[in-house]
Amino acid sequence: MLAPRRLLPSLSSLLALEALDRLGSASAAAEELNLTHSAISRQIKVMEGQLGMPLVLRDGVRLKLTPAAREYCETVRATLHELSRASIKLKANPLGGSLNLAVLPAFGMHWLAPRLRHFATTCPEVTVNLSSRLRPFDFGREEFDAAVHYGARDWQGVRYLHIAEEYVLPVCAPKILKQPLQSAEQLLELPLLHLETRTSAWENWFAHHKVKPENITGMLFDQFSTMAQAAAHELGVALLPMYLAQGEIEAGRLVPAYGKPVKASGNYYLVWPENPPARPALEKFIEWVGSVV
């Protein structure tokens, strides 16, 4: 339930107060809002009358916010930002129904994005907004409806839908390999590239081939895409998922370094909060993902 209308200042007054706080002077606020200095002062006085308390200290024509008003402005600014975002969403999707999805960059680009056209055709009333996130986060603090998660079912307070398994292959620039490798152990003689969020990936791959390296070191990357580029520029061998490696191999930028694709230890999931219940746009997306995997 909303507060009494007498406690809800007009948008004009809120904009004037926020601009005064952010810019530091009534003149600057007036210029940004295309108003006069006196108009800014009048808007503040109207708000003071509504709230029944002073918001500024007046020194001649200068206006300076009180400490309480500056704190109030933090909430005002956040509220105006949310209102602006809501307006952008409405304009982008006038039919209603938007979905904010956090994706892993490489998986989002190479696996999900090519399939989204089918979803857009199937559910044209839903607009999907994509943003990158590399690690789990608190849905209560982020403006996401769902996320793509890799690994185990270790994200607390969410529901899971299995999307895909991951198969990885060591790849490198053609010039790195002077001759084909005869064993997995020979890879230890080459520089190995690592992903920050997959610190045990190489250990797991070597374990699959019955090799127990003492210590694996090498360059560290935060995303698969930059690691793939580093491999293409002859900086080392990258252990890439097949949805990314296949395109690089077909383009001739990378070649398999050794062996066949190996199943990784983690899986891809679509996750969303247990509470509150999924909105209709998310329900449609969940149903669609379940139909294409």
Side-chain angles (χ1 to χ4, degrees), residues 99-104 107 111-112 128 130 139 145-150 153 155 158-164 267-273 278 281-290 293:
L99 180 68
N100 293 327
L101 183 63
V103 298
L104 300 168
F107 187 82
W111 190 95
L112 180 60
V128 181
L130 301 179
F139 275 102
D145 299 292
V148 173
H149 172 58
Y150 173 81
R153 292 174 176 256
W155 194 325
V158 301
R159 298 183 183 277
Y160 290 84
L161 174 63
H162 181 270
I163 299 177
N267 296 288
Y268 289 97
Y269 301 93
L270 180 71
V271 300
W272 63 95
L282 177 56
E283 289 180 343
K284 292 177 181 179
F285 189 76
I286 293 169
E287 182 180 357
W288 172 79
V289 171
V293 297

Side-chain angles (χ1 to χ4, degrees), residues 25-106:
S25 74
S27 298
E31 182 177 356
E32 177 174 283
L33 299 176
N34 198 27
L35 298 172
T36 63
H37 185 290
S38 60
I40 295 293
S41 182
R42 284 196 301 272
Q43 292 289 354
I44 302 300
K45 285 183 179 179
V46 169
M47 189 184 301
E48 289 177 327
Q50 284 182 286
L51 299 178
M53 61 180 298
L55 298 174
V56 298
L57 303 174
R58 291 175 171 82
D59 181 12
V61 296
R62 294 187 61 204
L63 302 179
K64 182 179 180 181
L65 269 65
T66 64
R70 289 199 301 271
E71 184 176 343
Y72 177 59
C73 271
E74 294 180 6
T75 301
V76 169
R77 188 171 295 110
T79 302
L80 291 173
H81 177 69
E82 289 302 308
L83 181 60
S84 176
R85 286 177 58 89
S87 299
I88 292 172
K89 288 181 183 180
L90 178 62
K91 184 175 178 61
N93 189 18
L95 297 178
S98 62
L99 180 68
N100 293 327
L101 183 63
V103 298
L104 300 168

Side-chain angles (χ1 to χ4, degrees), residues 173-188:
K175 291 183 180 180
I176 287 285
L177 295 180
K178 297 180 180 180
Q179 57 185 6
L181 301 182
Q182 301 303 310
S183 69
E185 194 167 11
Q186 285 184 294
L187 271 178
L188 294 171

